[in-house]
Amino acid sequence: MSPLLTPARTRGFLRATAAAVALSSVLLTTGCGASDESGKDAKATAAVPAGFPVTIDNCGVRTTYDRPPSRVVTIHQHPAELMLALGLKERMVGTAFPDSAVLPELRKNYEAIPELAKKEPSFEKILDAEPDFVYGGYGSAFAENEGRSRKAFADAGIDTYLNREYCGKKRVTMEDTYDEIRTIGEVFGVPDRADELVADLEGRVGRAAAEVAGEPEVPVFVYDSGDKSAFTAGGKSLGTELIRLAGGENVFADLDDVFGDVSWEQVVARKPEVIAVYDYADAGSVEKKKTFLLSQPALADVPAVRNKRFVVLPLTATLVGIRSAYAVEDLARGLHPESFR
């Protein structure tokens, strides 16, 4: 089996089962904070910020926060970057599962937080960090078969939050990113920071889109992974909207899913002019992916392959998190370089 197949199938499975993860917790109602007496005493003496209590519905789990969480573990990189972008480093006691280079402006703070595991940490490892809140990026953060269900955390007195991309919603848009930021800002009592961050990201997207306004749409094929077939972004993915905002068109926008397999014959028939290569840990290096595509005789006449036009995007840039706004500019520059000279 090609090494390019395994991570895609794994992530595809996690995406397909995200709704089931959410539904398994639908009857769960939690309150903020650990259940031990010392934790209660500490909270009783802490000043309660204005605007609390706050009640949030997240993937079927309704949680009332009497005050902002103070000890947070993030599982997967995009929740960690979102927290840091909101200036919440001092509340973070652990990160896990980095899958690409951290944004330069966040790297120093990210590296100062203990890394609990290269993948999803065990339930026990998370408990060792004594969190009162666990923020998961993929549905696998709260995998029941690995003992990390949201109910297990609730039973331990720990609140949880799952990135809304994995709440079973059928289509993901930039509005989901902005809503995610505002919700986390509300949970942590920093709504003004959240509004400022959203405004900044909207500005990034708007400026990039303005640069390519009026340019003809460039046909784009997203190559996540795969050799016998291609694992690509479908019409319900955030990636499709990022491509549109950047002045392109996903050639598989008619694929009625977030991700899915297509044949190489279909790729050839749709004649993409640019290939967006998704970069993430354990998926094979970007150079290996490019080499694979360039070495296939069947793809030799595909315009993007013939002209070696590739745009590389970290997978984290195509998820509900702060990177998606950055990705629009990166894509726009790759699709319409003449507009940025």
Side-chain angles (χ1 to χ4, degrees):
M1 180 181 292
S2 166
L4 294 178
L5 286 170
T6 302
R9 297 305 177 274
T10 300
R11 187 156 54 79
F13 172 78
L14 294 176
R15 287 180 176 271
T17 58
V21 172
L23 287 174
S24 69
S25 302
V26 73
L27 298 178
L28 175 63
T29 301
T30 65
C32 180
S35 59
D36 63 280
E37 291 303 316
S38 61
K40 289 180 180 178
D41 291 343
K43 290 189 174 184
T45 59
V48 179
F52 283 80
V54 168
T55 299
I56 301 293
D57 289 302
N58 169 241
C59 300
V61 178
R62 185 177 176 86
T63 306
T64 296
Y65 299 89
D66 295 325
R67 54 180 44 78
S70 59
R71 294 184 60 83
V72 181
V73 166
T74 58
I75 305 176
H76 305 114
Q77 185 174 331
H78 45 303
E81 290 189 332
L82 195 160
M83 291 278 294
L84 290 172
L86 287 174
L88 297 170
K89 170 182 173 285
E90 299 307 319
R91 306 198 201 178
M92 299 173 68
V93 296
T95 65
F97 210 146
D99 58 12
S100 61
V102 177
L103 283 171
E105 60 266 37
L106 302 178
R107 188 173 301 143
K108 181 178 179 180
N109 284 338
Y110 184 89
E111 291 175 350
I113 302 164
E115 184 180 280
L116 304 186
K118 293 296 183 183
K119 300 293 185 182
E120 291 93 350
S122 68
F123 183 71
E124 293 74 18
K125 184 71 173 179
I126 296 170
L127 290 187
D128 286 344
E130 301 182 347
D132 59 6
F133 184 90
V134 178
Y135 183 6
Y138 299 125
S140 57
F142 302 117
E144 187 171 357
N145 64 341
E146 295 183 14
R148 290 191 308 273
S149 70
R150 297 184 75 173
K151 183 179 186 306
F153 282 110
D155 289 345
I158 301 169
D159 293 321
T160 56
Y161 186 94
L162 177 60
N163 185 294
R164 68 188 57 228
E165 187 167 357
Y166 288 84
C167 289
K169 188 174 179 179
K170 296 299 183 182
R171 185 169 180 269
V172 185
T173 70
M174 282 299 294
E175 285 306 312
D176 289 297
T177 288
Y178 304 144
D179 288 345
E180 180 88 354
I181 293 168
R182 290 191 181 103
T183 300
I184 295 300
E186 188 177 5
V187 169
F188 286 88
V190 291
D192 291 345
R193 294 185 203 173
D195 288 342
E196 289 175 8
L197 179 56
V198 168
D200 176 69
L201 298 181
E202 287 177 327
R204 285 179 179 272
V205 172
R207 288 189 294 273
E211 290 288 347
V212 298
E215 296 291 340
E217 291 183 338
V218 177
V220 180
F221 162 56
V222 173
Y223 181 54
D224 180 294
S225 55
D227 54 2
K228 302 302 182 186
S229 61
F231 194 59
T232 191
K236 293 179 178 176
S237 69
L238 181 57
T240 292
E241 177 159 323
L242 302 182
I243 291 169
R244 179 185 62 79
L245 290 167
E249 179 185 15
N250 181 359
V251 296
F252 288 103
D254 60 340
L255 180 63
D256 191 30
D257 208 340
V258 177
F259 276 85
D261 288 296
V262 296
S263 70
W264 291 112
E265 289 78 11
Q266 288 174 293
V267 175
V268 172
R270 301 196 180 194
K271 301 178 181 178
E273 295 178 12
V274 173
I275 297 176
V277 180
Y278 282 4
D279 181 23
Y280 57 99
D282 296 335
S285 72
V286 168
E287 290 309 312
K288 285 183 179 179
K289 289 183 179 183
K290 289 182 181 179
T291 298
F292 170 77
L293 294 169
L294 292 170
S295 68
Q296 302 306 301
L299 302 179
D301 290 330
V302 171
V305 173
R306 185 174 63 244
N307 298 319
K308 298 182 180 180
R309 289 193 67 187
F310 298 99
V311 178
V312 178
L313 290 178
L315 179 63
T316 48
T318 69
L319 305 171
V320 171
I322 63 169
R323 289 285 192 99
S324 51
Y326 290 71
V328 174
E329 180 178 352
D330 292 340
L331 275 167
R333 288 181 178 275
L335 303 185
H336 299 283
E338 67 284 350
S339 296
F340 291 88
R341 288 173 183 159

